[in-house]
Amino acid sequence: MNPAELAISEVSKKLQSREIGVTELLDSVFSQLEKYEPELDAFATILKEKAYKKAEECQHGIYKKRNATPLTGIPISVKDIFCTEGVLTSCASKILENFVPPYDATVVAKLKDSGAIIIGKTNMDEFAMGSSTENSAFKKTKNPWDISRVPGGSSGGSAASVAACMGFASVGTDTGGSIRQPASFCGVAGLKPTYGRVSRYGMIAFASSLDQGGPFARTVEDCAIMLSAIAGHDPMDSTSADIAVPDYLKEITHDIKGLKLGIPKEYFIKGIDNEVELSVRKAIKELEKLGAEVTEITLPSTEYGLAVYYILAPSEASSNLARYDGVKYGYRSPSLNNLMDMYCRTRAEGFGPEVKRRIMLGTYALSAGYYDAYYKKAQQVRRLVRDDFENAFKKVDAILTPTSPTPAFRFGEKTQDPLTMYLSDVFTIPLNLAGLPGISVPCGFSTGGLPIGLQIIGKPFDEGM
Ligand code: GLN
């Protein structure tokens, strides 16, 4: 068996018992990369030299039996939205094409401390705005199951890399579905933790009240290993929660017998792909056979989720992205006459069309004349979406839905009409609005051989369940 295809839980035992060496393991991952990366374009930056250097350190630590964690010596990647000290962090935008951060994001620092080997930064939609990775300013990542299709987005590079065994796991971000939707399109597990579970320090901001980092892996157990490494309170992020991190590896061994699972009727609507509905319903039946109690529930405000998100997320983005003005860092237009001209040209040349669309939408929604009608109203409806879940969780332990209404779509299929693109997150967005954790796990394939994802929604800080 190719060691690059194993799970972290398996390979880490082999590393600790020295059945396999760290460098040898890294070799097997890089040979996957040589084979598949030219076709898939999952990475924005590959860190081969740094990775081999770290592998040596890890091997030394294993010899000395020092501080081993389940991630010691494990090759992984991070989305190009996380700041990495001394390593280009472009967020897939021209405006940051030369940006080399002077510090590590907390997530990156924690992964390094746990002994993980970061092999590269993964491609994404510019500033995490998109559902297909087609909005990257640099390249389009392909879906490993069918390269004529998108890997999903915005963390498409992370999902594709893990699916193609180019690394054992990856960390992405999810503002409206950017971990779960690509995980479902690429047939891997992807977890969006509770808002506040994982530090946002050093994670380039899109919509600060919605953004959350989380893992991709090929097994749920590996997601638990990754979450254990990156979760926890961080004084550098005022929104990070000061709540103890449970032992996720222990929690995932609990029986599902007697678990109460809710199926929201609003998530099985017209427009959802037939095969997606069938696979998800089959998975639900399977859980029932294993002893879970399944009940229908209602989340009546679901239909407003998308509209609320596309007021709030662009509003926050328009404010967060004001900092890219060519003054302190990033791209600056070479042709300029005066200061105002410099701002205008820099932003006109540096941002791509989707980012500009969001900035305009957000600026409009926040403008004095429209604030009450849009931003304020959206905040009020956001509360209703959260209340829906709070009510439902009085009766059930978890909620099951499809992750996305369709399997992976073709390149160009949705680029002409932004609204149809936005719809691919209709089932994932409500969780971000409510701050809840959700995981996408594979639950079958379409007749065309494309993976389908099941979304499991939990109570706040109940990722372990
Ligand atoms: N696809 C959604 C958007 O474009 C969500 C993106 C995300 O979660 N970062 O905003």
Side-chain angles (χ1 to χ4, degrees):
M1 172 117 206
N2 178 355
E5 293 177 12
L6 295 172
I8 297 175
S9 50
E10 301 166 303
V11 86
S12 111
K13 283 186 203 120
K14 290 188 194 290
L15 287 176
Q16 293 305 323
S17 68
R18 293 200 249 151
E19 190 186 325
I20 182 172
V22 183
T23 304
E24 197 188 329
L25 181 64
L26 196 55
D27 286 343
S28 73
V29 169
F30 273 110
S31 81
Q32 287 289 113
L33 242 116
E34 271 151 36
K35 220 153 110 196
Y36 298 114
E37 176 59 10
E39 212 169 23
L40 296 178
D41 278 325
F43 286 86
T45 305
I46 296 172
L47 301 166
K48 198 165 179 177
E49 213 173 293
K50 278 192 183 348
Y52 275 97
K53 199 159 157 265
K54 173 92 180 190
E56 267 173 43
E57 283 167 31
C58 290
Q59 191 63 67
H60 193 68
I62 290 172
Y63 281 137
K64 299 264 177 225
K65 297 198 182 322
R66 255 200 325 247
N67 307 331
T69 84
L71 281 179
T72 303
I74 304 291
I76 59 152
S77 60
V78 295
K79 186 179 183 178
D80 209 21
I81 198 169
F82 288 100
C83 286
T84 39
E85 187 184 343
V87 172
L88 186 69
T89 300
S90 74
C91 221
S93 181
K94 188 175 177 207
I95 215 157
L96 286 177
E97 68 184 351
N98 296 319
F99 177 57
V100 178
Y103 70 102
D104 278 330
T106 298
V107 161
V108 171
K110 278 179 169 255
L111 287 169
K112 285 184 177 172
D113 287 348
S114 71
I117 301 176
I118 300 178
I119 59 167
K121 311 276 308 278
T122 53
N123 192 33
M124 52 183 283
D125 285 301
E126 183 177 4
F127 284 104
M129 298 172 188
S131 304
S132 65
T133 320
E134 289 166 293
N135 294 339
S136 166
F138 307 116
K139 55 180 165 186
K140 294 181 178 56
T141 300
K142 284 80 173 177
N143 190 316
W145 295 88
D146 175 352
I147 57 167
S148 70
R149 292 177 188 267
V150 304
S154 63
S155 317
S158 289
S161 69
V162 173
C165 302
M166 301 189 294
F168 290 83
S170 190
V171 183
T173 60
D174 190 313
T175 305
S178 280
I179 292 174
R180 293 157 287 157
Q181 185 254 22
S184 83
F185 280 17
C186 291
V188 297
L191 170 73
K192 180 199 98 73
T194 312
Y195 184 78
R197 181 78 291 184
V198 172
S199 169
R200 292 186 298 110
Y201 179 68
M203 196 176 103
I204 294 172
F206 163 12
S208 307
S209 80
L210 302 158
D211 297 341
Q212 186 62 199
F216 287 89
R218 291 189 292 272
T219 69
V220 171
E221 191 178 13
D222 287 358
C223 276
I225 291 173
M226 288 290 288
L227 184 61
S228 303
I230 61 174
H233 180 237
D234 178 9
M236 299 301 279
D237 170 8
S238 63
T239 63
S240 106
D242 197 356
I243 296 178
V245 179
D247 182 348
Y248 293 120
L249 276 175
K250 209 161 123 201
E251 294 206 351
I252 62 168
T253 62
H254 289 169
D255 200 352
I256 63 155
K257 219 186 203 107
L259 264 190
K260 294 193 182 66
L261 303 177
I263 317 297
K265 59 172 192 253
E266 292 83 1
Y267 282 65
F268 294 87
I269 41 166
K270 236 178 57 203
I272 168 175
D273 180 278
N274 234 338
E275 294 186 308
V276 168
E277 170 153 13
L278 278 176
S279 285
V280 169
R281 294 228 184 254
K282 230 171 108 190
I284 295 168
K285 275 259 147 45
E286 217 45 61
L287 290 164
E288 221 173 349
K289 275 193 221 150
L290 294 168
E293 290 166 28
V294 175
T295 45
E296 193 183 78
I297 59 164
T298 170
L299 299 168
S301 305
T302 300
E303 62 174 309
Y304 308 117
L306 205 67
V308 168
Y309 175 88
Y310 278 100
I311 302 275
L312 297 181
S315 295
E316 293 185 29
S318 74
S319 159
N320 273 326
L321 270 56
R323 70 188 65 163
Y324 306 107
D325 56 7
V327 176
K328 285 192 182 136
Y329 47 76
Y331 176 78
R332 178 186 297 173
S333 175
S335 53
L336 40 102
N337 301 316
N338 53 49
L339 184 63
M340 186 54 87
D341 195 42
M342 192 276 281
Y343 289 150
C344 292
R345 283 178 196 263
T346 294
R347 289 168 67 83
E349 293 161 19
F351 289 132
E354 183 61 27
V355 175
K356 286 179 187 160
R357 180 180 296 124
R358 306 281 176 114
I359 292 173
M360 285 189 276
L361 282 170
T363 308
Y364 183 83
L366 289 175
S367 60
Y370 294 100
Y371 178 90
D372 283 340
Y374 293 111
Y375 184 79
K376 191 173 159 202
K377 190 55 88 187
Q379 286 288 31
Q380 290 163 338
V381 182
R382 178 179 190 174
R383 178 58 179 265
L384 297 179
V385 173
R386 208 194 68 180
D387 290 350
D388 272 6
F389 282 107
E390 238 177 67
N391 286 332
F393 278 124
K394 285 179 190 147
K395 288 172 255 156
V396 298
D397 302 305
I399 297 171
L400 306 185
T401 77
T403 305
S404 193
T406 66
F409 45 87
R410 287 185 196 283
F411 284 98
E413 204 178 308
K414 297 183 196 273
T415 39
Q416 293 316 308
D417 179 4
L419 256 180
T420 63
M421 185 74 90
Y422 296 172
L423 269 168
S424 88
D425 290 311
V426 65
F427 300 147
T428 47
I429 276 173
L431 284 71
N432 300 78
L433 294 174
L436 297 171
I439 190 168
S440 177
V441 292
C443 74
F445 289 90
S446 70
T447 41
L450 299 171
I452 293 171
L454 168 75
Q455 175 172 246
I456 309 173
I457 310 169
K459 295 176 188 170
F461 299 100
D462 207 12
E463 287 85 358
M465 197 284 306

